[in-house]
Amino acid sequence: MVVNPSTISYEFEWVDKSKNPLFRCSTMRGTIHSGKKYEMVFEYLPESLDTQESDWSFHISHNKITMPFLLIGWAAEPELHFSKSKVDFGQVIVGAKSKQVVTIENRETVPYPFTFDTLGANSAVTFSPSSGVIPPQGAQPVEITFSPKTEDPYNYTLNCVVKKALAPLTCNVKGEGYMTHDTLRVQEPNGSLVPLNSHGLNTVNLGTTQVNGNVSKRFMLTNQGRYNMDYKWQLAPNPFITLSNMIGTVLPGGNSTVDVTYAPTKEGKLIDYKMTCKVTNGSTYSVLLNATAANPLAHFSWEEYDFGPCFVYNPAVEPMSTVLTVTNRDKQPISIDSMFENKEHLELNVASFILNPNEKRDVKITFYPRDVTSYFETLHFSLNDLTRVSV
């Protein structure tokens, strides 16, 4: 501010002696009227935080008055910063998206426009908004999205350019893309493991089992990746089907075995029974099971026999007897066990035996009546220790 206390007006002029482009005068020349004040305006436009100087002179030509002035300027960055300088997304499955929010905080009393430098069209990191204005004494949330495209580590530096700030605000963003590497195999009778297809249906034949027996298949899930792998089996309710493990976790480089057991209690067929193994963030395997449940094909020559009227047993007379013929009409051997304990009035000449396919065996049954009365007995035979036949 310059005051003219005299009774005449004066013309003035400022002379820039240093020619420092960071300093600028908006009132290079003018007239100060008698008894008036004149406001002189200088601007400082810093490009760094270094202290700057500029020599100027104030000149009144009418009186040949010259006064030197030294202008000194320094700068300070506005108080703006990210709420956190690092964002770590950790491991994210390739193709999936993970989001985190950081905040740009403004502690100044004036608003500041900002804009982010682009990372490129193929970047795995995006952010929103990409530009805006941070209100005074306020904050602007920024949502950062990480979506890895390949199984690699990623590391980016986000540059947020703030108007009137000398340096951009920076935030380091890193993460790693990973994929699940899984293989499901089924064990064959010879012990070999056959891989299953995750892009179609896999038919697995359990074969034939006897009623009240069981047949099993072992499935092996292998984790060939670098991280733990979770899995879950899904299947429709069936009282004859059980799995040893419905859910589980497979460690890197490890295996998990699941035994599927078919234990029927009646004759029938299992046709295209669907089971699904779903690996979290990995493959889905669909398996169709087929099996048959049947009773052993053992044929008994009769189901009922009547000795008719008989004399009371006399050791001097040959007792009454008959023959029950058992034939194996199956393709597998059948073990046959008599569950009848010989009694005083009835005896069987054999307790247990094994019949090969197409083989037959006669069981002699002898009747020794001891009293004048009626006799009735039921003979039970166990086939393979699972199925019972009565005559």
Side-chain angles (χ1 to χ4, degrees):
M1 180 76 69
V2 179
V3 180
N4 181 2
S6 67
T7 57
I8 61 175
S9 298
Y10 295 107
E11 291 184 355
F12 72 88
E13 181 182 13
W14 287 97
V15 177
D16 181 4
K17 301 176 70 175
S18 298
K19 305 298 182 182
N20 189 332
L22 302 181
F23 293 86
R24 185 170 60 189
C25 180
S26 301
T27 53
M28 290 295 292
R29 57 181 55 82
T31 301
I32 308 174
H33 296 287
S34 172
K36 299 295 182 179
K37 300 176 181 179
Y38 200 105
E39 186 179 73
M40 305 299 172
V41 179
F42 287 84
E43 293 181 346
Y44 176 52
L45 306 174
E47 294 179 353
S48 69
L49 299 179
D50 298 331
T51 301
Q52 299 287 333
E53 295 182 354
S54 180
D55 291 322
W56 293 72
S57 62
F58 180 70
H59 181 65
I60 299 176
S61 58
H62 179 74
N63 290 346
K64 297 182 180 181
I65 297 175
T66 299
M67 296 183 64
F69 282 84
L70 175 63
L71 302 183
I72 300 175
W74 64 90
E77 285 281 26
E79 282 198 70
L80 289 92
H81 58 84
F82 280 109
S83 57
K84 49 186 175 181
S85 61
K86 296 181 180 180
V87 176
D88 189 352
F89 284 93
Q91 290 79 36
V92 177
I93 191 74
V94 171
K97 292 183 179 181
S98 181
K99 297 181 179 181
Q100 293 193 36
V101 175
V102 297
T103 302
I104 307 174
E105 299 177 355
N106 179 10
R107 296 182 181 177
E108 301 289 347
T109 57
V110 293
Y112 280 91
F114 72 92
T115 183
F116 280 96
D117 290 343
T118 59
L119 296 176
N122 294 324
S123 170
V125 171
T126 58
F127 38 84
S128 177
S130 59
S131 62
V133 176
I134 313 163
Q137 300 293 324
Q140 172 64 57
V142 178
E143 184 180 74
I144 303 175
T145 302
F146 176 54
S147 180
K149 305 177 188 302
T150 57
E151 195 172 14
D152 293 296
Y154 292 81
N155 198 318
Y156 296 96
T157 298
L158 298 186
N159 289 321
C160 178
V161 179
V162 179
K163 189 175 182 179
K164 298 182 181 179
L166 296 178
L169 304 179
T170 61
C171 181
N172 178 254
V173 178
K174 66 179 181 179
E176 184 176 0
Y178 79 94
M179 297 177 66
T180 300
H181 299 276
D182 54 80
T183 302
L184 182 64
R185 294 172 292 175
V186 61
Q187 189 173 45
E188 293 298 314
N190 61 5
S192 63
L193 294 170
V194 178
L196 301 182
N197 185 4
S198 62
H199 302 290
L201 297 174
N202 301 274
T203 300
V204 175
N205 188 10
L206 299 179
T208 300
T209 184
Q210 184 178 326
V211 173
N212 296 320
N214 66 77
V215 62
S216 298
K217 276 286 186 181
R218 172 161 291 183
F219 293 84
M220 180 177 290
L221 185 62
T222 302
N223 180 3
Q224 299 160 308
R226 295 178 292 156
Y227 305 99
N228 289 354
M229 184 178 74
D230 297 328
Y231 67 89
K232 180 179 181 180
W233 284 88
Q234 296 176 330
L235 60 160
N238 187 312
F240 304 150
I241 296 290
T242 57
L243 269 71
S244 57
N245 295 313
M246 290 292 292
I247 59 175
T249 299
V250 188
L251 299 179
N255 301 301
S256 178
T257 58
V258 175
D259 292 324
V260 180
T261 302
Y262 175 56
T265 58
K266 61 181 180 180
E267 288 189 303
K269 289 182 177 292
L270 188 70
I271 301 175
D272 290 344
Y273 174 76
K274 188 175 182 179
M275 304 189 311
T276 301
C277 179
K278 171 63 178 168
V279 178
T280 303
N281 296 321
S283 304
T284 298
Y285 299 89
S286 296
V287 178
L288 300 180
L289 290 182
N290 292 281
T292 300
N295 286 314
L297 296 180
H299 179 260
F300 289 77
S301 58
W302 45 262
E303 296 180 359
E304 184 175 317
Y305 185 82
D306 187 357
F307 281 99
C310 302
F311 290 105
V312 174
Y313 171 64
N314 183 348
V317 180
E318 182 73 20
M320 298 288 293
S321 65
T322 187
V323 172
L324 174 65
T325 302
V326 184
T327 305
N328 181 3
R329 296 180 178 178
D330 211 323
K331 297 180 180 179
Q332 303 293 330
I334 301 174
S335 67
I336 300 175
D337 296 287
S338 171
M339 303 175 68
F340 179 78
E341 292 186 5
N342 287 340
K343 298 182 180 180
E344 187 180 22
H345 63 276
L346 192 67
E347 290 183 357
L348 278 66
N349 70 334
V350 63
S352 62
F353 53 92
I354 295 176
L355 290 179
N356 291 317
N358 298 318
E359 186 180 2
K360 63 176 62 177
R361 180 72 175 268
D362 290 336
V363 178
K364 183 178 180 181
I365 304 171
T366 305
F367 181 42
Y368 302 93
R370 305 291 180 173
D371 300 300
V372 180
T373 186
S374 296
Y375 292 88
F376 179 85
E377 293 288 350
T378 299
L379 307 182
H380 300 292
F381 294 90
S382 174
L383 311 183
N384 294 335
D385 293 327
L386 294 173
T387 303
R388 177 180 292 189
V389 175
S390 301
V391 296

